[in-house]
Amino acid sequence: MRRKLAAGNWKMNGDADLLDELATLTAGQGDDAPEILICPPYPFLAHAVALSDGSPVGVGAQDCHASASGAFTGDVSAPMIAEIGAQAVIVGHSERRQGHGESDADIRAKAEAVWAAGLTAILCIGESEEERLGNNTLDIIAAQLNASTPNGASADKLVIAYEPIWAIGTGRVPTLEQIIETHDMIRNELIERFGNEGAMISVLYGGSVKASNAAEIFTARNVDGALVGGASLKAADFQPIIDALQAS
Ligand code: PGA
């Protein structure tokens, strides 16, 4: 069975009060209980790890540098994130690709650094609106997936997040058919490249996921959870998404 994951990407939002609030999230019981992950900004990571002790909430970072250490003022390395007890790192979010000029090769190097530190990489891919309106969206996403993902991927160290850029923070979501088509393609690419392991790698959907659309999105056979931005900033918004994943 693939891991079900509800991951909250705080982006550059939140404070210590929000950490306290999100420590109250619950995941249910049993084999199909989803994993919960919150990814706050770096200054809150250590506090988040302390609060998550004994709760079902895991902690991840939103980015890392590809090197383990060095003269990189302002950057944070994957071993540092591992040392404070976090479990995962988001790499390749479109806000990093677009706002910080990160290429597929940069993201691949970051994912390798995350793995070398013993953490899970949540690797984001997704098309722009212009690309979606063109005829070769699936080819573009497949190329991005293949160029960003290092060799040797396995289900315990890689999660893919498909996030159409035009759906992030906009309240717009693809149709269920578009989500199904894209996630099926991603699954096929993963199986083609990584064999049985590719069948077990979780693939999240992200982009304007909220309580009102989560259950429908989770009906798609190759959607294993969600990467949630805005709706992860309040327990009252995030908990129903976790519950919908549990029920899926
Ligand atoms: P959103 O963001 O849920 O606010 O659309 C998702 C993301 O960027 O990961």
Side-chain angles (χ1 to χ4, degrees):
M1 206 163 71
R2 287 194 295 268
R3 64 205 274 200
K4 287 185 181 180
L5 176 63
N9 173 14
W10 286 19
K11 310 189 180 186
M12 199 171 71
N13 297 296
D15 53 23
D17 288 345
L18 185 57
L19 283 178
D20 287 337
E21 183 182 327
L22 294 187
T24 67
L25 294 168
T26 56
Q29 304 287 329
D31 282 352
D32 59 351
E35 292 174 41
I36 306 171
L37 191 75
I38 59 163
C39 302
Y42 295 130
F44 301 123
L45 283 176
H47 187 190
V49 169
L51 284 175
S52 71
D53 191 27
S55 95
V57 182
V59 178
Q62 299 173 16
D63 184 40
C64 68
H65 196 277
S67 298
S69 64
F72 302 107
T73 301
D75 283 313
V76 171
S77 75
M80 294 171 185
I81 295 165
E83 188 173 345
I84 57 115
Q87 292 108 36
V89 183
I90 299 171
V91 293
H93 191 281
S94 58
E95 287 152 16
R96 301 291 317 172
R97 289 178 184 264
Q98 293 192 321
H100 297 262
E102 293 184 9
S103 66
D104 288 333
D106 294 331
I107 289 149
R108 185 179 175 127
K110 289 184 179 202
E112 281 170 344
V114 170
W115 292 354
L119 303 176
T120 298
I122 301 178
L123 195 157
C124 304
I125 51 173
E127 81 284 4
S128 66
E129 179 146 44
E130 211 179 14
E131 289 167 338
R132 172 53 74 178
L133 293 173
N135 285 328
N136 54 350
T137 319
L138 293 182
D139 290 345
I140 289 168
I141 300 166
Q144 214 180 24
L145 173 70
N146 289 321
S148 308
T149 309
N151 292 330
S154 62
D156 61 340
K157 55 186 190 180
L158 180 69
V159 171
I160 299 295
Y162 166 57
E163 299 203 305
I165 297 168
W166 51 274
I168 294 175
T170 60
R172 296 166 58 207
V173 284
T175 63
L176 185 60
E177 289 67 34
Q178 287 171 327
I179 293 176
I180 291 170
E181 183 186 42
T182 309
H183 280 248
D184 287 358
M185 178 279 290
I186 292 170
R187 173 70 54 221
N188 289 339
E189 292 288 323
L190 290 172
I191 291 172
E192 198 170 299
R193 186 157 164 209
F194 301 114
N196 288 343
E197 205 56 48
M200 296 307 295
I201 292 170
S202 292
V203 183
L204 313 182
Y205 168 78
S208 294
V209 176
K210 37 187 193 272
S212 58
N213 60 21
E216 189 191 15
I217 292 169
F218 296 148
T219 62
R221 63 187 160 246
N222 280 310
V223 173
D224 304 304
L227 182 56
V228 184
S232 74
L233 296 173
K234 268 190 202 149
D237 293 336
F238 199 23
Q239 187 65 58
I241 296 171
I242 298 163
D243 294 344
L245 186 56
Q246 160 104 55
S248 68

